[in-house]
Amino acid sequence: MDLFRPQAAPAEWLVIATAVAALAVTVPRRVWLLARNAITIAHEGGHALVALATGRRLQAITLHSDTSGLTVTRGRPTGLGVVLTLTAGYTAAPLLGLGGAALLGAGLVTLLLWAATALLLAMLVMIRNAYGVLTVLVTGAAFLLVSWLTGPEVQALFAYAVVWFLLLGGVRPAFELQFRRRRGGAPDSDADQLARLTHVPAGVWLLFFHTVSICCLIGGCRWLLPF
């Protein structure tokens, strides 16, 4: 298996169809409540990856059935490391989507699928609750089965659908947080914790999350769309 062998992109209408399919699981509330688990995996995985990259000690990750999650790290309670770790949550899914779009733009479908599988397996080691283990196992199994048992065409369609979902689904959580905060909820959200650490208002951090997700969506479209 050559991870770096380029694959031809699907037909134009199939690329657009995968975008429509991703949108169909992002917009309707009932479907989104289930699909959002995948965005939570990316969110908490982003916290974990940046925590390790900045020298913090990763202790545990939990994923809950209400699509919330928690990543516990140990290290200095202030400083750049903890700020970057908190910033990584809401930006993780859009940035992963952008990276995936770049790989698909280069035709590297196989590399994308196996990289995603490896990240999920690495995350599984740190999951500390049953629902989280189940969620990551099911997600990882989907990538593994598609990678092993399907042909290049199906693999490409699956990869495009996943990347579109990360890009489109990565936009919605920041808006959900904004609405909760307007109603007085989520007092310990990532934006509020960042505000307390940096003395920069939570609204500015929300604007940052919005900017990253929308810019990633625009950039991803340039790689994915056939025109």
Side-chain angles (χ1 to χ4, degrees), residues 104-183:
L104 292 181
L108 300 177
V109 174
T110 304
L111 178 60
L112 185 150
L113 294 176
W114 283 104
T117 304
L119 288 172
L120 287 165
L121 289 175
M123 185 175 178
L124 184 62
V125 177
M126 296 307 300
I127 300 292
R128 293 293 182 266
N129 68 320
Y131 183 83
V133 169
L134 177 63
T135 303
V136 175
L137 277 177
V138 169
T139 307
F143 278 90
L144 193 61
L145 290 173
V146 169
S147 300
W148 274 110
L149 301 180
T150 66
E153 295 81 6
V154 175
Q155 291 177 10
L157 289 177
F158 178 78
Y160 271 84
V162 167
V163 170
W164 276 121
F165 177 68
L166 288 172
L167 290 170
L168 293 166
V171 173
R172 182 164 176 170
F175 283 100
E176 292 177 330
L177 175 59
Q178 185 174 352
F179 294 148
R180 289 200 304 272
R181 293 188 73 257
R182 283 180 180 176
R183 299 187 184 108

Side-chain angles (χ1 to χ4, degrees), residues 48-69:
L49 185 61
V50 173
L52 292 173
T54 56
R56 298 183 65 80
R57 182 178 177 183
L58 180 60
Q59 291 188 296
I61 302 172
T62 55
L63 306 171
H64 305 125
S65 58
D66 63 355
T67 72
S68 65

Side-chain angles (χ1 to χ4, degrees), residues 77-79 82-84 86-87 177 181 186-209:
T78 60
V82 68
V83 169
L84 292 176
L86 287 168
T87 304
L177 175 59
R181 293 188 73 257
D188 292 318
S189 71
D190 293 352
D192 291 281
Q193 291 183 64
L194 284 164
R196 290 192 288 268
L197 281 167
T198 63
H199 305 293
V200 175
V204 174
W205 287 107
L206 271 171
L207 178 61
F208 173 73
F209 296 153

